[in-house]
Amino acid sequence: MAGRLLALFALLGASQVLKAYDYFSPWREQQQMYKLDIGWPKTPEDFTGQTFCVAVDSLHGLIYVGQRGDNVPKVLVFSEEGYFLYSWNDTVEMPHGIFVWNTAIDSSVWITDVGTGKYGHTVKQYSPLGKLMQVLGTPGNAGSSLIPLQFDQPAEIFVEENGDIYVVDGDGGMNNRLIKLSNDYKEIWLTGTNGTGIGQFKIPHSVTLDAFGRVWVADRDNKRIQVFDKVTGEWLGSWSSCFSEDGPYSVRFTADYKYLIVAQLNINRLAILAAPPVGAIGDCVMVHTVQLADETKPHLVDVDMKSGAIYVAEIGAQQVQKFVPLS
Ligand SMILES: *[C@@H]1O[C@H](CO)[C@@H](O)[C@H](O)[C@H]1NC(C)=O
Ligand SMILES: *[C@@H]1O[C@H](CO)[C@@H](O)[C@H](O)[C@H]1NC(C)=O
């Protein structure tokens, strides 16, 4: 038996065996990678609406939550320990995506708003305390133009350290596109139209960057993730084999960029995928899943790039849950 195994190993070649072991062993053993932090937040009754999005400021230990509903504050701010700190209401209608951007001296909070009222169809920048600082798009007007900038239900935003902006537009509506803007809000490139072909989108729902110059987009209704070059916008690849049961709602990397965390709303689960090293993205490999309770509906997630904790905004359960890495 041992002899036969050895022969098999020799046949496969050492590198292939190693690769298969790395990828499949955590999955087969069902080894836990994360544990729910049941003490976060301290007062769950602070969630008073539908919690659509969450963003982590790992530098300052702050967690921003966007929620929707009548007569509820739209943004809630918690400490990473789970204490409710403050909230704000002004100029936010229906938050969809939220992102924290840190510079050496300052931080700001970007929110995409899919409302149809006078603040809708915009991407807005706030100070950490909720002062509106910048509005991108044409408030109250859905559109598809770049001059003047018009969005139709912008789904999510990612801002690089140098201020370059990536917007997926949108969450339904007439646009299915990924736009890169400079830090003075000029178009650098735009890619994507409505469709199922290479580089096309059906509800581009979430966007993030890795450490290797690649832009990752959850192409939700096409049930795939598509990847683009951040400099040129060129299409680099696509993953669909992991999403036959449900499309990807979120894309966020773990702090070490080894894994991609993907929420799948309709099957109430987080999929943890192996992130490929620099270059071609190859095929999708699911290394672990976190099954959530029925009707939790995980929508968007964010990762604390310091502690590694994952925060999950759950529309169905109307809460944000924190998962901390084991090991
Ligand atoms: C936000 O508005 C709602 C309804 O108008 C109100 O009940 C709530 O106290 C407000 N919250 C904040 C933080 O202003
Ligand atoms: C996208 O194309 C499909 C047909 O392939 C159509 O049913 C749908 O309405 C289009 N969506 C938009 C936003 O134009």
Side-chain angles (χ1 to χ4, degrees):
M1 180 65 198
R4 249 199 277 163
L5 259 183
L6 268 181
L8 181 66
F9 274 43
L11 204 69
L12 284 172
S15 70
Q16 259 169 307
V17 170
L18 265 181
K19 198 165 150 204
Y21 178 82
D22 277 355
Y23 279 159
F24 294 114
S25 106
W27 169 247
R28 209 188 292 141
E29 291 163 17
Q30 285 294 319
Q31 172 189 314
Q32 288 296 317
M33 290 176 73
Y34 291 93
K35 180 174 98 208
L36 177 65
D37 181 346
I38 54 167
W40 201 98
K42 303 293 179 202
T43 46
E45 53 277 17
D46 289 317
F47 299 124
T48 45
Q50 289 175 299
T51 42
F52 268 75
C53 47
V54 58
V56 183
D57 176 349
S58 49
L59 213 57
H60 303 100
L62 297 174
I63 316 301
Y64 294 82
V65 175
Q67 63 170 12
R68 298 184 195 170
D70 295 331
N71 302 317
V72 300
K74 296 297 171 14
V75 180
L76 308 171
V77 188
F78 296 88
S79 69
E80 63 186 329
E81 297 82 19
Y83 293 101
F84 173 75
L85 302 174
Y86 56 91
S87 65
W88 76 76
N89 269 5
D90 284 352
T91 70
V92 187
E93 273 174 36
M94 292 172 68
H96 187 276
I98 190 165
F99 184 86
V100 174
W101 183 60
N102 282 314
T103 66
I105 49 160
D106 209 359
S107 55
S108 55
V109 183
W110 286 90
I111 294 175
T112 67
D113 196 325
V114 299
T116 52
K118 63 177 175 175
Y119 301 114
H121 302 297
T122 54
V123 178
K124 288 169 281 209
Q125 183 187 27
Y126 292 88
S127 76
L129 290 173
K131 181 174 182 289
L132 183 61
M133 293 157 63
Q134 183 69 45
V135 180
L136 306 183
T138 309
N141 282 301
S144 197
S145 166
L146 284 163
I147 309 164
L149 202 52
Q150 272 187 298
F151 302 114
D152 191 344
Q153 302 178 38
E156 205 179 53
I157 178 173
F158 186 97
V159 186
E160 272 191 275
E161 221 166 293
N162 68 1
D164 286 354
I165 294 170
Y166 302 80
V167 177
V168 275
D169 177 31
D171 183 48
M174 70 178 83
N175 300 330
N176 283 280
R177 58 187 191 175
L178 166 66
I179 305 167
K180 179 175 183 178
L181 301 170
S182 59
N183 59 10
D184 56 353
Y185 317 121
K186 304 281 192 313
E187 176 196 352
I188 296 178
W189 49 255
L190 178 155
T191 188
T193 51
N194 178 30
T196 58
I198 284 180
Q200 293 185 305
F201 300 116
K202 285 205 180 294
I203 309 206
H205 195 259
S206 177
V207 59
T208 197
L209 261 67
D210 65 18
F212 312 110
R214 295 176 298 198
V215 187
W216 295 70
V217 176
D219 184 10
R220 196 190 83 183
D221 283 16
N222 279 330
K223 294 188 165 182
R224 66 184 177 188
I225 286 175
Q226 296 201 78
V227 184
F228 302 85
D229 182 291
K230 82 166 183 181
V231 176
T232 60
E234 179 198 355
W235 183 85
L236 295 176
S238 168
W239 282 350
S240 52
S241 60
C242 291
F243 308 113
S244 54
E245 289 170 82
D246 191 16
Y249 276 66
S250 70
V251 278
R252 282 292 182 274
F253 285 94
T254 52
D256 56 9
Y257 289 99
K258 277 190 178 164
Y259 302 102
L260 192 64
I261 312 292
V262 176
Q264 294 178 289
L265 179 139
N266 298 293
I267 57 173
N268 303 299
R269 123 180 146 176
L270 304 180
I272 300 170
L273 313 179
V278 63
I281 67 162
D283 291 327
C284 178
V285 178
M286 201 178 291
V287 295
H288 191 68
T289 57
V290 176
Q291 187 62 51
L292 306 172
D294 283 356
E295 301 302 320
T296 298
K297 296 193 196 304
H299 184 245
L300 288 170
V301 309
D302 203 15
V303 173
D304 184 331
M305 296 309 257
K306 240 186 207 166
S307 73
I310 306 173
Y311 294 84
V312 185
E314 302 166 350
I315 299 177
Q318 305 211 356
Q319 64 185 1
V320 171
Q321 289 190 306
K322 177 181 184 180
F323 291 86
V324 292
L326 296 170
S327 83

